[in-house]
Amino acid sequence: MTSNTTFIDPTVLSSLDNLELRARVVVEGFVSGLHKSPHRGFSVEFTDYRHYYRGDDMRHVDWKLYARSDKFYIKQYEDETNVRCYVVLDSSASMGYSSGVMSKLEYGRTLASALAYFIMRQRDAVGLITFDEKVNEYIPALCRQPHLIRILRVLAGLQAGARTDVVRPLSDLASNLNRKSMVILISDMLDDEEQIIKTLQRLRSMGNDVIVFHVLDDAELHFRFQEATEFIDAETRESFITQPQSIRDAYLENLGNYLEFCKKQCQSSGVDYCLLNTSQPLDTALYSYISRRARSF
Amino acid sequence: MSFLSPLFLFGLLAAALPIAIHLIRKETPPKMVFGTLRFLKNTSKKLILFQQIQQWLLLLLRAAVISLLVFAFARPLFDGAIASLVDAAPESSVILVDASMSMRYGERSEQARAAAQDLLAGMSAGDEVAIVAFGGSALQVRELSTDLDGARAFLEALPEPGFEVTRFMPALRLANDLLESARHQSRSVHLISDFQASGMGNDDAGWVMSAGVRLNPVDVGAGPTRNLLLTDVRSPDQLIENQSEYEILARVRSTGSVHVDQADVRLLLDGVETARVPVNLTDLSEEVVRLPAVFDTAGTHRGEIRVGTDDFAVDNSYFFTVDVMARIRVLLVNGEPSANWYDDEAHWLGLAIAGSAESPFVVTRSSPRELDAELLAQHDVVVLLNAGSDLNSTQAGALNDFVREGGSLLLAPGDRVAAGPFNQLFGDISPATLEQPVRLAAGDYQLIADIDQRHPVMLPLGSDWGVRFEGFWMASAVADADVLMQFDNGSPALLERSVGQGRVMLFASALDTEWNNMPLQGLYLPFAHESLRYLAQASEKERAYRVGDVIDLSTAVAEQATLTITDAAGASTQLLAGNRLLTATTAGFLNIDDGESVQFYAVNPDPQESVLARIAPSALQDAVTNPETEPVQSEDVRTAQLIAEIEGPQRVWWWLLLLVMLMLLAETRVANTTYR
């Protein structure tokens, strides 16, 4: 990890109240890191090349490159990409849980804003959907600078809401998408995972690219509680008194089964699945996006 | 199982504390809003059940720890109750209850009964006990028995102490003898007494109880005592009419632990106070007071001297009787009247008994020829001086009848008496048969060699008889006669015989200076007075008796009469004909009624019993306890030893505390793995 990537650390980000600034820090730091990485060859500021395929406009062939490599490459301009991304952010009550400096919702909000900033920087259209048990905000995908401001404002004012219903907003979104899009789901997915997977598969079957950022808190992932605690469900308010040490193994087993299910189902459905720990930097999520973006377009 | 400290079991209530805390102070764990409970609630139901079991186990552990601590402090014992442990060593014991007069002081008697009841209460089934109420000797005895209820009833029925003296040793000997047949090896004597010093006596010095018999002294005589005692009273037992004025002496002494220095001494005659004299013992340990008395009528007068009022009223009075008699009429029958007064026996004897106007005797002189029944009836005592053999059978018969009907006769044969006629005439009444007169050679003589010092005549005379007998009668005593004096050759010198209601004495020599020099001796006059007084008033009645004395009534009342004896308390008993011995058991006056007249006898308690000085109970204990006997252990100590012996090997408390420690470890372990 380089020194620049430290700016993406959730601990640092949590000190930045301005969401736009936070998104910029994330993205700029991430991009800066990419330049220094030999494994990463993409930048929104760099013109891309691709192999020539029959039917391409010959005007776009880079002859200089042909002279050096004896191969045809098409110069790809940034205006050429026309991807519409929908960031679907879960703002249910369970997303408000935090065992550290940043809650899942905060983490998701930062991730969403960073993605929006990143997508807009690539001249792609980005939209936003926030939901809990219903869709709270719907911002259609556009590619204008003021639009990013609007998205960031919505994200900044986002509060943890009621119970989770992932299926409904995804189903609504699927019904409204009339062209291929990229759907980025940021959620803890603490709902009926089978229904969620089915909905994601439906989106995928419609030709959409789907990325799932499964955000979970570090405490949820490792359950390192020591003392007896009365746990209260953030959404149902149901309580459960237990000695964490005694049930930790069983908890982790249950959680592992659940995560494994989600991961396998997503992979088998062509859905990119990325499990995020709120205590970890955000670059993992960005890499996942870039990777998916590169494969798709 | 039993417990040595059962009160600690109340601590079991504390075992409810964990439960109460669990119910009342329900400590809630910290609350935490969590993303979802789906992964928690899906944990194994067995795990949840195990958690609940842990919680209950923790509760039970804490309650059990407290309970076990309580049980440990209560010192549990297996193998039966303590009582059964103590019963395992049954005891045979004798309870000696002092019932002497000194126990009437204050509430000693009640305390003694209570102490005895306490001892019985401390005994267990299987113990056997005997009870002896004692004074100078055993008064009431209940032999060894396991019937403790019977023993209690026996104690309740014991009479109040009377006038008995205290003697520890006879009672201890009896207790020791009773324990010889005891069934148990553990044997003890419980002596409940005021431990009067006079009770020790001197007769049994060095005697100890059998080995193994323990003495447990129970002292009920502690505390200060106040008592005034009439240690001695001098009063006449008999008075002649012309000696009716008298001065009675009383010696007063304070015998309690607290000195009493002021009191009044009063004299009551026939129930009427006649004199009162104050006594001051401030500077004296004792004082003699003089009480004037006038006995102006013949008969028996009852006298009582009372001193002060103290806490021991039973010895505040001294009782005595004074018999005032008429003058004794003496008939001197002179067988050898002489013109020379020194050869006249009647002269010497008359001079001795009637030499002054205050003489208690009225003397009549006569010759043998004048003697007849009428003359005899006018006299109390007849003295035959060198006479007898010259009397005719009528005169002799009259004399026999006179004696048998209660008259008294003194025979003093001399040289004018012939043995044969004398023995013939007086063989039925004379205490001796005359054999022959003896006249010793000049310069030779016989002395009085043996004297019955206990005889009333001899008692005041002493034994210093320097009389020389140059002539005397060899005589042989008849079967029912008593020899009061003997010559140094073994021949009787003075004899006595009771005949019918009368009494006959024979002096085997002359009463003038012809055969001896006795009239010239100082003994002559008292001998004559005592002999004639004895013959005239043969009763052996004393002016005052002590409790425990045996009173011989044979000379005072008719042999065949049935006597009714009434004591000072009013209790009457019958004394049948033939039985004339009466044991005095109560202080005061005894009224003895033979149907015709009433006689009074005065009885006083033993003054030793009024001396309230005490000995240390431990001194008596040390004196009579066998050196081989183990030291006395109290019931508490004995029980504690039994407990220690049985509890020691068990050490139940030790195991309980060990279990508590283990449970505390378990509690810590369980408490760390659960939230409560």
Side-chain angles (χ1 to χ4, degrees), chain B residues 294-316:
Chain B
V294 176
F295 303 97
D296 51 2
T297 58
T300 300
H301 293 273
R302 289 164 294 157
E304 178 184 355
I305 296 177
R306 293 180 183 173
V307 58
T309 54
D310 53 42
D311 298 334
F312 197 33
V314 67
D315 68 346
N316 285 353

Side-chain angles (χ1 to χ4, degrees), chain A residues 94 97 191 193 220 223 225 228-234 238 240-243 246-247 250-251 254-255 258, chain B residues 28-44 47-48 51 54 672-676:
Chain A
S94 61
Y97 174 69
D191 198 358
E193 62 270 22
E220 290 175 325
F223 206 66
F225 300 104
T229 306
E230 181 181 2
F231 294 97
I232 300 173
D233 193 297
E238 190 180 359
F240 184 76
I241 301 173
T242 188
Q243 175 65 35
S246 62
I247 64 168
Y251 174 90
N254 291 336
L255 178 65
Y258 162 76
Chain B
T28 55
K31 294 182 178 180
M32 176 181 290
V33 177
F34 202 58
T36 182
L37 301 185
R38 56 184 295 182
F39 308 119
L40 300 175
K41 296 174 70 176
N42 287 341
T43 52
S44 171
L47 189 62
I48 303 300
Q51 276 193 322
Q54 275 186 321
N672 283 335
T673 58
T674 188
Y675 62 86
R676 183 168 301 171

Side-chain angles (χ1 to χ4, degrees), chain B residues 27 40 43 103 239 298 442 460 513 549:
Chain B
E27 187 176 348
L40 300 175
T43 52
M103 293 295 286
L239 289 176
T513 57
D549 287 349

Side-chain angles (χ1 to χ4, degrees), chain B residues 587-647:
Chain B
F589 291 107
L590 295 177
N591 296 0
I592 298 177
D593 187 355
D594 63 357
E596 295 181 356
S597 62
V598 177
Q599 298 189 37
F600 299 100
Y601 286 76
V603 181
N604 293 294
D606 192 319
Q608 283 188 358
E609 200 59 20
S610 297
V611 179
L612 301 178
R614 287 157 37 81
I615 58 166
S618 58
L620 175 62
Q621 190 179 26
D622 295 341
V624 301
T625 301
N626 194 301
E628 298 179 8
T629 303
E630 293 181 358
V632 177
Q633 291 179 335
S634 69
E635 188 69 22
D636 292 341
V637 171
R638 197 157 60 94
T639 303
Q641 283 189 350
L642 278 172
I643 289 169
E645 289 173 4
I646 296 174
E647 185 192 20

Side-chain angles (χ1 to χ4, degrees), chain B residues 534-555:
Chain B
Y534 173 72
L535 286 170
Q537 183 67 35
S539 171
E540 297 179 352
K541 178 184 177 184
E542 297 181 6
R543 63 185 178 89
Y545 292 86
R546 285 183 183 175
V547 172
D549 287 349
V550 176
I551 303 174
D552 185 0
L553 300 174
S554 58
T555 59

Side-chain angles (χ1 to χ4, degrees), chain B residues 75-94:
Chain B
R75 297 170 69 190
L77 263 184
F78 292 112
D79 301 328
I82 300 306
S84 65
L85 302 178
V86 178
D87 288 347
E91 186 181 58
S92 297
S93 55
V94 178

